[in-house]
Amino acid sequence: MTKAKLKVEGLCRVFGEGPSAWTALNDINLSIRENEFVSLVGASGCGKSTLLSIIAGLQPADLGVILVDDKQVDAPGRDRGVVFQNYTLMPWLTAQQNIEFALRATGVKGSEIRRIAAEHIALVGLEKFADRYPAQLSGGMKQRVAIARALSYRPKILLMDEPFGALDALTRRHMQELLTSIWTRYKLTVLFVTHDVEEAIYLSDRVVVMAAQPGRIKEHVDIDLPRPRGDDMTAPGYRELYRHVLGSIREEAQRIAKLQPLDSVLG
Ligand SMILES: Nc1ncnc2c1ncn2[C@@H]1O[C@H](COP(=O)(O)OP(=O)(O)O)[C@@H](O)[C@H]1O
Ligand SMILES: [Mg+2]
């Protein structure tokens, strides 16, 4: 049995104060094994981004703890790399310089910075684009730079919030394949937020479905499909898993829809 790399214990997050206070996350417990790939899915507004940002140390929890290798963390750290959909690159820096900037900020020594940045630009296949500015890169390329940047200081945990959400289907699939190969190569532990059930199943060892109001974990679904996983997802068992996860999210979306207008819960 592999040990837990990342643990979330009894996590609660409340927004607002007094009578208008409401619980965004309620008693979240989650344990992710070393080198496990876990996706987090659930209706829009159920607290996925809030949970990820607390794990990243970007906002506090009101109750509960985050443990990395059994040690409590409550601030951003080199042990956790972060890639968000809108976690933008700095527009006045080139792809290479964006990575160098992150390395400098995490305390890597001067002489090493250029070499490590170039190595990670190559890892995501952007050698020819290292000197381009973000505005001169496609959406997929920008996300590749963001991934290279998050990996450059060698975190063992990668936290990703809908990182491919804005990409077209073909680019998205390329990025999923790239991520799978990097995950395998570096034995990363990944927590990946997506609203795309197919993407969650394609990438993950386990899919965690969240429920809303208050945000909490509804169920864990093991994805025991063989790897590497094909493009057409015709593997025996795939359809059942897809139907199960989608059904679970829909059931939850319908439950919330009874509490509020439908267009605010789809996503
Ligand atoms: N800083 C904040 N202040 C108040 N409410 C917030 C804040 N951040 C998120 N929320 C609310 O918490 C809920 C969960 O949001 P979020 O984590 O973004 O959900 P998801 O990523 O699953 O769509 C939403 O209702 C959102 O409006
Ligand atoms: Mg979100």
Side-chain angles (χ1 to χ4, degrees):
M1 182 80 188
T2 337
K3 72 179 174 93
K5 184 76 187 168
L6 174 68
K7 258 195 234 169
V8 178
E9 290 181 351
L11 193 117
C12 297
R13 180 74 167 122
V14 178
F15 287 120
E17 277 174 28
S20 63
W22 66 282
T23 306
L25 293 172
N26 185 39
D27 194 25
I28 304 284
N29 292 286
L30 181 63
S31 179
I32 305 183
R33 293 187 307 274
E34 191 158 19
N35 198 208
E36 190 179 17
F37 198 123
V38 174
S39 285
L40 204 54
V41 298
S44 179
C46 71
K48 304 180 294 295
S49 295
T50 304
L51 177 56
L52 219 69
S53 108
I54 294 173
I55 295 172
L58 299 171
Q59 62 170 289
D62 291 292
L63 269 180
V65 289
I66 309 295
L67 302 156
V68 172
D69 289 326
D70 293 323
K71 278 193 220 84
Q72 194 174 335
V73 292
D74 47 24
R78 285 178 65 170
D79 50 359
R80 285 150 292 147
V82 177
V83 182
F84 290 164
Q85 185 177 331
N86 299 313
Y87 196 68
T88 45
L89 303 172
M90 294 182 203
W92 61 88
L93 298 177
T94 65
Q96 165 95 14
Q97 288 166 345
N98 262 281
I99 300 174
E100 292 178 358
F101 184 90
L103 285 166
R104 215 167 282 124
T106 50
V108 176
K109 295 225 168 46
S111 58
E112 284 285 272
I113 287 177
R114 267 197 79 77
R115 185 188 62 76
I116 299 174
E119 178 190 323
H120 285 82
I121 284 277
L123 175 71
V124 295
L126 286 179
E127 297 94 325
K128 290 188 185 135
F129 302 89
D131 296 327
R132 289 219 191 164
Y133 290 90
Q136 301 169 311
L137 298 170
S138 69
M141 287 175 177
K142 277 189 270 209
Q143 274 313 62
R144 280 198 261 170
V145 178
I147 292 172
R149 176 176 61 183
L151 292 173
S152 64
Y153 45 89
R154 286 297 169 85
K156 293 307 273 183
I157 298 172
L158 196 53
L159 305 169
M160 308 182 91
D161 193 354
E162 308 209 21
F164 310 145
L167 306 177
D168 64 85
L170 195 62
T171 310
R172 178 181 266 246
R173 180 41 56 98
H174 283 146
M175 296 298 288
Q176 291 164 350
E177 284 165 1
L178 176 68
L179 177 60
T180 302
S181 79
I182 290 173
W183 165 70
T184 310
R185 177 163 162 195
Y186 290 118
K187 300 212 172 343
L188 295 169
T189 303
V190 182
L191 183 56
F192 186 98
V193 170
T194 178
H195 59 260
D196 181 337
V197 174
E198 201 244 271
E199 177 171 72
I201 295 176
Y202 177 78
L203 291 171
S204 310
D205 296 317
R206 176 162 50 119
V207 174
V208 174
V209 183
M210 282 182 73
Q213 300 188 17
R216 58 202 186 279
I217 289 175
K218 184 180 176 197
E219 67 169 325
H220 301 257
V221 182
D222 285 322
I223 309 299
D224 44 9
L225 301 173
R227 293 180 188 269
R229 292 175 183 165
D231 241 0
D232 48 4
M233 301 307 279
T234 51
Y238 171 77
R239 290 199 164 282
E240 288 71 20
L241 286 167
Y242 183 89
R243 240 180 259 132
H244 181 89
V245 173
L246 190 65
S248 189
I249 298 170
R250 281 212 178 127
E251 180 184 77
E252 186 49 29
Q254 278 159 6
R255 190 185 65 78
I256 323 169
K258 292 190 183 128
L259 309 173
Q260 65 186 47
L262 186 65
D263 58 1
S264 61
V265 296
L266 296 175

